[in-house]
DNA sequence: ACCTGAACACCGTTCAAGT
DNA sequence: ACCTGAACACCGTTCAAGT
């Protein structure tokens, strides 16, 4: 074989290696992209490896296991949250509601993250910052320390559960029309129940199937929790 | 081969067929047993089939898919709940708390059922009876209809999320000592944080790691929710 | 109508072998 | 130290073939 004259004589060495090396960040970036595009179910060690043009075994040099990857995704979501600060004793209830709305908003931008978050203790740096912020708001509200601490457990639990519910529906690929059709079916199902055994379910079929699409149900939830916490503060 | 004299001459035909036929109930019974023994992760179509001495394909004649099996398990848990009745306007808050305690108790006897329940709309007969009962208690509390309906969504969501959390710990096979060790680790982790950025997390390390074992945290949650709902009733 | 074996298209994780 | 192929022990679901 002859060397073309415009090529250097030194052995052909690409300026960049064909593959850039694997690292934690690239793995989490890829997992996040897959999760946003295709949902939590699609985030598998095998699929992430495939996206990175390698085999699943390669990931284990950078991530302990799937659970750790899930935790890293949760921390990404926490990092995306813009929580109200500094805490204001005059407005703590509104700040708390704002924080919960923001938590849900961030989780919605990463559908599936709720599934990764639920039932895991979030100890990443961003998750801790979220906790610290909530602690501040609740302290500003004048709650006793133990109530503050348990509330910081209760609040993400509720928001995550709501996001998780939405995520299940999304995973089933329900369009708004599908949802409306499902609710219609539900209403006629309620109407067909034996009236002697399910009188209230039948009477409240309307309210029971309302607010499934928008944020009214979530707003109700955060109002109940905020009012409940406020009632604890008043007893101080 | 000679026939033993005390055996009938007619061809050996067992009085019962070697296998009793498969049906929904046997499948759900088996799945429930596996779930109680080995947790939700162990409840797979393949494993249940194996327990029933058949192949996984055989189950699909009686159960649409895994999701339907999950729903049937959830309804078994709902059927095991002994909710307070009839509703008493004088005691509705205590009845509501009792109901939530009973829901958690039933879910605890079937670890894993929370995982099957979360994010699915429970429409089995027993689940509907649970709803009907909660509707009665909340109506007795004088809440507006829409609040009653959304509360019936919020309450099982919270209880299920709590049960799910406990279930994750159980799935990781944590003994009480492991939990204590984990909490110790957590406390020293909190103590090691940068004091300028996480002052409250550090100051509240005690309360934050308290009540993880017993029911204090759950009692706090049901108090907050009940008080929040009561504050809506007062505004009527 | 019900059951079955075999297949399809997946999982998470480990491990010995390479560079 | 990092990467890899191959294997292990699993998944849910489908489908043609049996009875």
């Amino acid at each position: 074989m002859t060397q073309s004259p415009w090529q250097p004589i030194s052995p052909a060495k690409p300026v960049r290696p064909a593959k850039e090396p694997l690292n934690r960040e690239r793995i989490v970036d890829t997992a996040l992209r897959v999760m946003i595009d295709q949902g939590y179910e699609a985030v598998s060690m095998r699929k992430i490896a495939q996206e990175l043009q390698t085999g699943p075994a390669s990931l284990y040099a950078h991530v302990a296991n799937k659970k750790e990857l899930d935790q890293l995704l949760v921390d990404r979501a926490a990092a995306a949250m813009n929580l109200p600060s500094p805490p204001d004793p005059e407005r703590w209830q509104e700040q708390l509601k704002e924080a919960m709305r923001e938590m849900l908003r961030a989780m919605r931008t990463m559908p599936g993250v709720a599934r990764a978050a639920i039932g895991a203790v979030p100890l990443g740096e961003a998750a801790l910052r979220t906790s610290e912020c909530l602690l501040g708001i609740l302290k500003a509200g004048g709650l006793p320390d133990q109530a503050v601490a348990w509330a910081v457990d209760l609040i993400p639990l509720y928001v995550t559960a709501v996001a998780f519910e939405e995520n299940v529906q999304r995973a089933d690929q329900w369009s708004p029309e599908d949802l409306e059709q499902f609710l219609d079916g539900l209403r006629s199902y309620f109407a067909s129940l034996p009236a002697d055994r399910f009188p209230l379910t039948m009477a409240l079929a309307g309210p029971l199937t309302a607010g499934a699409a928008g944020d009214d149900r979530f707003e109700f939830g955060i109002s109940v929790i905020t009012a409940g916490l406020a009632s604890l503060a008043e007893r101080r």
Side-chain angles (χ1 to χ4, degrees), chain A:
Chain A
M1 289 229 278
T2 57
Q3 286 280 349
S4 305
W6 55 85
Q7 280 193 348
I9 288 142
S10 61
K13 187 185 175 188
V15 178
R16 296 211 158 202
K19 282 181 171 185
E20 38 178 338
L22 229 46
N23 58 44
R24 239 165 198 265
E25 209 196 336
R26 286 189 65 213
I27 292 171
V28 178
D29 285 346
T30 305
L32 195 57
R33 186 164 44 73
V34 169
M35 187 166 73
I36 290 171
D37 289 355
Q38 295 161 259
Y40 177 76
E41 313 297 337
V43 181
S44 68
M45 299 298 271
R46 296 180 104 95
K47 174 98 133 224
I48 304 310
Q50 204 188 334
E51 294 274 326
L52 289 163
Q53 314 225 63
T54 183
S58 302
L59 305 184
Y60 287 85
H62 305 95
V63 165
N65 49 34
K66 175 78 194 316
K67 222 165 108 180
E68 187 175 288
L69 179 55
D70 281 355
Q71 287 273 21
L72 292 169
L73 289 169
V74 172
D75 217 53
R76 284 284 178 100
M81 294 172 188
N82 241 309
L83 302 191
S85 131
D88 177 355
E90 299 302 306
R91 302 197 336 104
W92 74 274
Q93 295 191 43
E94 194 42 53
Q95 283 186 320
L96 182 61
K97 290 184 190 175
E98 261 311 306
M100 293 175 83
R101 288 186 198 107
E102 172 62 13
M103 290 167 76
L104 183 62
R105 187 204 59 75
M107 291 186 134
R108 277 175 172 163
T109 66
M110 305 180 196
V113 80
R115 194 142 186 170
I118 205 154
V121 188
L123 293 175
E125 174 166 344
L128 278 186
R129 262 196 290 120
T130 307
S131 282
E132 180 76 18
C133 168
L134 291 175
L135 289 172
I137 296 172
L138 295 163
K139 282 287 271 185
L143 273 74
D145 281 357
Q146 190 61 74
V148 168
W150 282 333
V152 165
D153 186 67
L154 169 62
I155 288 161
L157 187 68
Y158 173 65
V159 179
T160 307
V162 169
F164 186 91
E165 265 196 343
E166 291 184 6
N167 181 57
V168 170
Q169 285 175 15
R170 206 191 108 110
D172 290 352
Q173 305 266 19
W174 284 21
S175 68
E177 297 89 57
D178 290 339
L179 182 62
E180 206 39 64
Q181 213 176 331
F182 172 73
L183 291 174
D184 274 347
L186 208 51
R187 276 184 279 266
S188 52
Y189 177 54
F190 285 160
S192 76
L193 291 172
D196 53 327
R197 298 179 52 215
F198 299 106
L200 297 170
T201 305
M202 296 181 77
L204 295 174
L208 280 169
T209 54
D215 285 345
D216 293 347
R217 247 177 41 200
F218 181 66
E219 285 295 324
F220 172 80
I222 65 182
S223 292
V224 167
I225 290 173
T226 306
L229 291 173
S231 82
L232 294 182
E234 281 151 23
R235 275 186 230 133
R236 74 173 176 271

